[in-house]
Amino acid sequence: LQMVGNAIIHCATLGGLGWLMSRWLEKRYCMLLWLPLTLVLTLPFGWENSLAGFQSQFYFLVLFSLLTLWLLGLYPPKSARWWCGAATAIMALFTVASGFLAAATVFALVMFRVTNRPQTWRQQAPTLTLCGAIVVAGILLKADVKHHHLLQSHSVAEFLTALGANLAWPWIVVPPFAILNLLPLAALAWFVLRGREDEHPAEEMTLAIGLWVVLQGLATAFARGAEGKPPGWRYMDSSSFILIADCFSIAVLLS
């Protein structure tokens, strides 16, 4: 029963993401949206989460984080959908320790907007304040489990190797592949940073997903990067979003 419940959560989450992005992009690029989502749903790399009903927290992490990026990041402060995004950002705190990174991503996204249009800082202040408070709360709520210290990275080399393995997904055994893996996202970021004043929701959502998965990779590399190990199976449902963000980036660039 728990496994079926988890499957429903995961399928509904990624199906909803595909539906959302397909509203913003031309139909001829739908393959670049649905193919990666289908692959990450059907391939059994996240078997630990699939087989253990207790692992629903990883599916809720993805669900609440994506809702936060969309509702809190893309809608005007104090609107109805913005308040829903504020609620999901708080809910994300009670999934796993890195749940606050969705709010951190929205904070970075809004700061980018304010940098491009300084006159909007007053309008964006509620979002920045809320996200800052959630990030602080997430850090303060993190429990210190002493026997987990052995799982953390103990040197810069271990951290960088583990980070590369996280961002090289699915080729996690070759950490340097992370550089190539990030190229589509980097190309989209360069395109957006060229100085255009208007933002497209598909661009912003894709960049937000990309930044979120990079932050998740940083957190995993620090907390579970002993000996430069690649991510465990249970963390790959988050790591797989590097593939999704890359394909979304290509679709946005082509359109």
Side-chain angles (χ1 to χ4, degrees), residues 36 40 50 58 74 88 91 108 135 142 144 164 174 180 189 201 204 232 244:
V40 301
S50 300
F58 288 99
L74 272 61
T88 59
M91 292 176 188
V135 169
K142 183 184 177 300
D144 183 28
V174 186
L180 292 177
E204 291 197 314
I244 294 171

Side-chain angles (χ1 to χ4, degrees), residues 33-152:
L33 302 181
W34 291 108
L35 181 59
L37 293 173
T38 302
L39 287 174
V40 301
L41 275 173
T42 55
L43 298 176
F45 55 84
W47 63 271
E48 281 188 318
N49 294 338
S50 300
L51 297 180
F54 176 74
Q55 298 299 85
S56 58
Q57 67 266 24
F58 288 99
Y59 297 128
F60 280 123
L61 169 69
V62 173
L63 171 62
F64 293 143
S65 294
L66 291 177
L67 287 173
T68 299
L69 300 182
W70 173 38
L71 299 171
L72 192 61
L74 272 61
Y75 285 94
K78 300 183 181 180
S79 63
R81 293 188 178 183
W82 184 89
W83 283 112
C84 291
T88 59
I90 295 171
M91 292 176 188
L93 290 177
F94 300 96
T95 54
V96 299
S98 61
F100 70 92
L101 293 179
T105 302
V106 174
F107 186 95
L109 182 67
V110 173
M111 283 300 299
F112 169 73
R113 281 201 210 114
V114 172
T115 301
N116 270 0
R117 298 195 299 273
Q119 68 274 15
T120 64
W121 75 268
R122 288 183 182 274
Q123 179 188 0
Q124 301 294 345
T127 304
L128 293 173
T129 303
L130 175 66
C131 290
I134 291 174
V135 169
V136 172
I139 294 172
L140 294 177
L141 286 171
K142 183 184 177 300
D144 183 28
V145 184
K146 291 185 178 179
H147 66 268
H148 284 180
H149 293 179
L150 297 174
L151 305 175
Q152 297 176 355

